[in-house]
Each structure stands twice: as C-alpha cells, then as structure tokens.
Amino acid sequence: MITVKDLHKTFINPDGAKNQVLRGINYEINKGEKIVVIGPSGSGKSTFLRCLNLLERPTSGQIIFDGIDITNPKADINMVRQDMGMVFQHFNLFNNLTIMDNITLAPVKLKIMSKEEANEKALSLLERVNLKDKADAYPVSLSGGQKQRIAIVRSLAMNPKLMLFDEPTSALDPEMVGEVLEVMKELADNGMTMVVVTHEMGFAREVGTKVLFMDEGNIMEENTPYEFFNSPKSPRLKDFLSKVL
C-alpha cells in the first residue's frame, strides 16, 4: 500500500543551522498491516508519519501510496488524503461545531456523501464508540478520551484505506488511555491498515503486526512484536526497552 524510498527530511533552524531528522528511510507497508513505531523523543517518528501524507514535505525521496507517487508535484495530494485518515495527539476538533458537524463536515463538503448519508454514517460510527448520545454536544463538554474517540470517528467517516495515528494517547489522562486503545484495537481486528506512533508498549505487543524502532532518523530495528520485545538485536534497542518496560 505504501512504499517509502530513501526518505530524507531536513529542517532549517531559525539560526540557519540544518537539523537532519530523517536520514534515508526505506520501508514498505502492506494492506492490512498494523505498523507500530516506537523510539525516543526526537528520533523522527512523528516526522516520518507526517511525511506519509505530506503534512511534512520530504526534503528528498519518494512515497508511493496505492500506486501514486505522492511526492510528485503533479500528484493531487488532497485527493490522496481522502484515503488516509489522520488522528493527532491533540484531537484537532472544531470547537465551534457540534460533534455531528465535526464528523460530517469533510464528507459533505467534498461531495463524497449527501448530508443525510453522512449523518447516518456518523451516527452508526458514534454508536460503535459508545458516544451516540454526544452527537449534538460540543467538544468543550467532552473528556480527552471522548474527544480522541470522536477524532477517530471523524477520520473513519471518510472510509479511508489507511489510518495514521500520531501519539493518540499521549495527551490523555491515564484512565482515558484504555478507551481510546480499545477503539484502535477494534479497528485493527476489522482489518484496517494502520501506522501508529505511540509510547504504549502493551498496544505495540498486542496489536502490531510489525514494530519499528526509530533512532536518529533511521529505522534501527523491525520485527514481529514477540521477537522485538523478547529478543531485541541491537544494543540501542535493548537499552531503550530496559528503560520503558
């Protein structure tokens, strides 16, 4: 579904110094896989994820999604993004819109569905995450966990082929983490292709088909969850896991 070839990303600091965040990543993501990306802060995890839908433009390299080279300037990235759901750390809901309007805005505006179809879809998705009673509420009245479940539903309303999650639980109170991970697990069980940047090792172990360890802008190690956690190969990963497990 996604092929990443020699992906580099360099940021220019305010003082003009170059900060090389991604250093030539090559990777393939197949349909139905659940790729979990872990690593220390500043390792390039979120930048890698944000490059996959061009929220960050790579400095060089290629990203091919569903046969389309999205790094080609001629590619219509807005069309491509309709097939890629994105869930952010801080929810990014529109506070001036009801939950229902947050969910139906994109499908209706992009003429993917009529208002009636979008409403019907939104209600069935809200039921799936046990928040149907919040359809007419505003985001300000919801807990962090509820907001994040709504953010996931909003992405699902577009019927994406792929879901990207950028540390979806790191802004939540500990007791709300479980309810969001539950929704993500259900998505995984239903065959959704997912790339998840997270610090939740239990989720990586339980849901991932592959776990990647990133450090200093590279994928240092990848393996099945069992092998990854039980017999890490590199000293750097062993050291990292000894601190987080």
Side-chain angles (χ1 to χ4, degrees):
M1 191 176 271
I2 296 187
T3 303
V4 178
K5 296 181 180 175
D6 198 25
L7 189 68
H8 290 258
K9 177 65 183 178
T10 301
F11 292 99
I12 307 296
N13 295 338
D15 62 2
K18 290 184 175 177
N19 176 16
Q20 205 179 348
V21 179
L22 300 179
R23 302 166 184 264
I25 289 182
N26 293 288
Y27 201 68
E28 281 195 357
I29 298 162
N30 298 307
K31 190 174 190 296
E33 283 192 312
K34 289 87 183 126
I35 307 296
V36 182
V37 186
I38 68 169
S41 293
S43 59
K45 308 182 299 290
S46 286
T47 302
F48 172 57
L49 190 80
R50 291 167 71 89
C51 281
L52 294 180
N53 66 357
L54 294 205
L55 280 180
E56 293 291 355
R57 276 218 165 256
T59 308
S60 64
Q62 251 187 328
I63 299 167
I64 296 157
F65 172 69
D66 231 15
I68 298 166
D69 179 357
I70 64 171
T71 40
N72 182 333
K74 293 194 177 88
D76 182 346
I77 187 58
N78 290 323
M79 279 294 288
V80 173
R81 282 192 188 129
Q82 292 179 25
D83 289 328
M84 291 181 166
M86 176 93 181
V87 177
F88 300 89
Q89 193 174 348
H90 293 291
F91 330 126
N92 290 14
L93 297 173
F94 295 108
N95 288 323
N96 59 329
L97 298 180
T98 64
I99 296 311
M100 195 64 163
D101 289 340
N102 261 286
I103 297 166
T104 58
L105 179 68
V108 172
K109 220 174 174 53
L110 294 167
K111 299 187 168 51
I112 290 168
M113 297 174 202
S114 68
K115 184 74 175 147
E116 293 68 37
E117 288 169 328
N119 285 348
E120 200 177 314
K121 171 98 177 167
L123 284 172
S124 77
L125 287 168
L126 284 170
E127 195 160 2
R128 222 170 120 181
V129 298
N130 298 321
L131 289 174
K132 198 172 178 183
D133 59 325
K134 302 293 185 190
D136 299 320
Y138 285 86
V140 69
S141 68
L142 304 185
S143 71
Q146 289 172 329
K147 284 180 191 171
Q148 196 58 296
R149 282 186 282 158
I150 297 300
I152 294 171
V153 161
R154 181 179 59 178
S155 283
L156 290 177
M158 293 290 290
N159 294 324
K161 296 176 181 174
L162 166 78
M163 289 281 285
L164 305 173
F165 293 87
D166 189 8
E167 300 195 14
T169 58
S170 60
L172 300 178
D173 293 335
E175 70 260 31
M176 289 173 188
V177 168
E179 64 192 50
V180 172
L181 293 181
E182 228 18 78
V183 173
M184 291 170 66
K185 281 176 193 163
E186 192 211 322
L187 271 184
D189 291 343
N190 287 329
M192 176 63 76
T193 309
M194 296 161 68
V195 185
V196 184
V197 171
T198 186
H199 296 292
E200 299 292 334
M201 298 300 149
F203 178 84
R205 208 186 272 262
E206 195 180 327
V207 179
T209 48
K210 293 260 178 68
V211 187
L212 310 188
F213 175 63
M214 281 188 72
D215 194 25
E216 296 181 352
N218 275 309
I219 295 171
M220 295 293 202
E221 196 161 329
E222 81 155 307
N223 219 322
T224 60
Y226 183 83
E227 292 293 331
F228 186 93
F229 288 105
N230 292 308
S231 43
K233 309 277 182 284
S234 68
R236 180 68 188 93
L237 177 56
K238 284 178 188 163
D239 179 53
F240 178 79
L241 291 176
S242 74
K243 293 188 172 86
V244 297
L245 292 180

